[in-house]
């Protein structure tokens, strides 16, 4: 009987101790700062105009576009303070011939070529002149040689 009584007292003390410590326990408070919340400023989306199979309106007429080709993409994007005009077509010429054509055009126009890359299957040129930037990318594909000419007017 004494053993049962002692056992009951030990269990009662255990329960009282558990309840006491549980009610007085406080979870540690984090001392780290919460992660900052970043918000993006609203950016106006450009206004896009598609021109179907013809070069975009306002596309400079002195830029060589292969005669007799149909534009795969032709569009303008109006941003605040600047306008992008893009013409994309499949050329009958090689990547190398198109690269050389536009490189010579940039030189004759007095454009500074700020970036260039040339390989058998992909070539690109980026040139500047006053408030005008041009990017030409030429790549080989199953359909032929794809040429993308973009003008950024500022």
């Amino acid at each position: 009987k004494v053993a049962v009584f002692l056992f009951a007292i030990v269990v009662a003390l255990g329960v009282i101790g558990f309840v006491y410590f549980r009610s007085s326990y406080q979870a540690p408070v984090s001392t780290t700062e919460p992660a900052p919340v970043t918000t993006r400023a609203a950016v106006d989306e450009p206004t896009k105009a598609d021109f179907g199979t013809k070069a975009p309106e306002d596309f400079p007429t002195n830029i060589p576009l292969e005669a007799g080709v149909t534009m795969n993409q032709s569009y303008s994007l109006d941003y605040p303070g600047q306008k992008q005009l893009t013409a994309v077509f499949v050329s009958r010429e090689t990547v190398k011939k198109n690269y050389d054509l536009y490189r010579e055009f940039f030189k004759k126009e007095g454009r500074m070529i700020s970036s260039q890359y040339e390989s058998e299957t992909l070539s690109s040129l980026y040139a500047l002149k006053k408030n005008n930037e041009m990017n030409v990318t030429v790549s080989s594909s199953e359909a032929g040689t794809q040429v993308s000419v973009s003008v950024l007017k500022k």
Side-chain angles (χ1 to χ4, degrees), residues 62-144:
N62 62 328
I63 297 175
L65 296 177
E66 193 171 320
V69 297
T70 301
M71 299 296 146
N72 290 351
Q73 295 181 47
S74 177
Y75 58 88
S76 68
L77 295 171
D78 286 316
Y79 296 91
Q82 58 189 10
K83 184 175 190 175
Q84 176 186 330
L85 305 164
T86 300
V88 181
F89 60 92
V90 175
S91 171
R92 293 181 286 275
E93 300 295 340
T94 64
V95 170
K96 173 74 172 150
K97 283 188 178 183
N98 277 289
Y99 178 82
D100 290 344
L101 170 74
Y102 286 102
R103 187 180 62 209
E104 286 305 310
F105 168 73
F106 289 160
K107 287 180 182 178
K108 286 179 186 174
E109 287 281 307
R111 294 179 182 274
M112 182 187 78
I113 297 174
S114 63
S115 177
Q116 58 188 349
Y117 174 80
E118 184 178 15
S119 76
E120 287 183 32
T121 58
L122 176 67
S123 294
S124 65
L125 293 159
Y126 193 84
L128 312 165
K129 185 178 180 182
K130 296 183 182 176
N131 292 334
N132 212 318
E133 299 175 20
M134 283 187 63
N135 182 49
V136 176
T137 304
V138 186
S139 60
S140 62
S141 68
E142 292 177 13

